[in-house]
């Protein structure tokens, strides 16, 4: 029964978004551009179709659930830590005395580039974009082997590995939750 409610809620959200798009299109001067301007009627229809397609990527209405906010913050924190580590390795490769400066520089650039994935995913989660769940889940799945490796190395890295594993598992649990998936506009497929 809850899937019927969520499907009904999604239909209502879509209808509200369509009405808002139609109101915006009607209030623009371009809405009547086909009259007396030599513009074909088909061009206006394709514009309207494009507006509806663009609305599909728009953020759902309503407040953002706390679970989604926490997932976005944790993903952003992971991205910031990765970015900081990448910049540190890059600076040490350039200014320090590593065994292989080229490898250190390349590692730093790679880690900085990889830090963009959780940062973009966090931004998408924060803005409630449907596409953001995939990159966020992939990032968390990649973090688990890293956490395992840190724990296996022992010493002070055990704490870093445990924190990484807890953060990754928490974000995955938060993103799998039905409240978060509905907030992102992802729900059971209509049959």
């Amino acid at each position: 029964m809850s899937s019927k409610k969520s499907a009904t809620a999604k239909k209502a959200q879509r209808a509200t978004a369509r009405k808002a798009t139609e109101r915006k299109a009607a209030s623009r001067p371009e809405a009547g551009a086909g009259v007396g301007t030599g513009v074909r009627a088909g061009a206006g229809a394709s514009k309207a179709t494009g507006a509806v397609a663009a609305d599909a990527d728009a953020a759902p209405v309503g407040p953002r659930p706390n679970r989604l906010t926490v997932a976005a913050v944790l993903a952003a924190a992971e991205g910031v830590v990765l970015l900081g580590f990448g910049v540190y390795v890059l600076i040490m490769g350039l200014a320090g005395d590593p065994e292989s400066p080229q490898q250190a520089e390349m590692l730093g650039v790679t880690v900085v580039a990889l830090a963009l994935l959780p940062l973009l995913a966090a931004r998408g989660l924060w803005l409630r974009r449907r596409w953001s769940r995939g990159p966020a889940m992939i990032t968390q799945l990649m973090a688990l082997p890293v956490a395992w490796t840190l724990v296996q190395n022992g010493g002070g890295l055990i704490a870093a590995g445990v924190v990484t594993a807890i953060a990754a598992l928490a974000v995955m649990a938060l993103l799998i939750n039905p409240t978060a998936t509905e907030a992102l506009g992802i729900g059971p497929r209509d049959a």
Side-chain angles (χ1 to χ4, degrees):
M1 182 169 273
S2 65
S3 65
K4 281 190 176 189
K5 287 182 183 178
S6 65
T8 306
K10 285 189 338 186
K11 286 178 185 175
Q13 285 178 344
R14 288 182 194 138
T16 304
R18 268 191 231 113
K19 287 178 185 176
T21 302
E22 290 170 2
R23 273 185 260 141
K24 286 180 185 177
S27 67
R28 292 184 192 146
E30 302 160 355
V35 179
T37 60
V39 176
R40 293 187 324 239
S46 67
K47 268 188 183 180
T49 305
V52 172
D55 248 5
D57 284 343
V61 294
R64 180 179 38 256
N66 289 335
R67 292 179 173 147
L68 198 56
T69 303
V70 171
V73 168
L74 284 173
E78 291 172 348
V80 167
V81 168
L82 267 176
L83 186 65
F85 178 68
V87 168
Y88 171 77
V89 170
L90 188 60
I91 290 172
M92 292 311 291
L94 294 171
D97 189 26
E99 288 181 25
S100 174
Q102 292 170 338
Q103 285 182 347
E105 292 163 8
M106 193 60 178
L107 175 65
V109 169
T110 303
V111 172
V112 167
L114 287 175
L116 295 178
L117 183 64
L119 290 173
L120 288 173
R123 183 176 187 275
L125 290 172
W126 187 263
L127 297 175
R128 296 174 61 185
R129 300 290 189 249
R130 177 181 211 151
W131 58 263
S132 62
R133 184 173 176 238
M137 292 294 282
I138 290 168
T139 302
Q140 305 317 311
L141 289 172
M142 290 177 5
L144 290 175
V146 171
W148 179 256
T149 303
L150 289 172
V151 169
Q152 292 298 313
N153 285 329
L157 296 177
I158 292 175
V162 169
V163 169
T164 303
I166 289 172
L169 291 171
V171 171
M172 285 194 300
L174 291 167
L175 291 178
I176 290 172
N177 188 286
T179 305
T181 56
E182 278 188 33
L184 292 170
I186 303 168
R189 295 181 184 228
D190 295 328

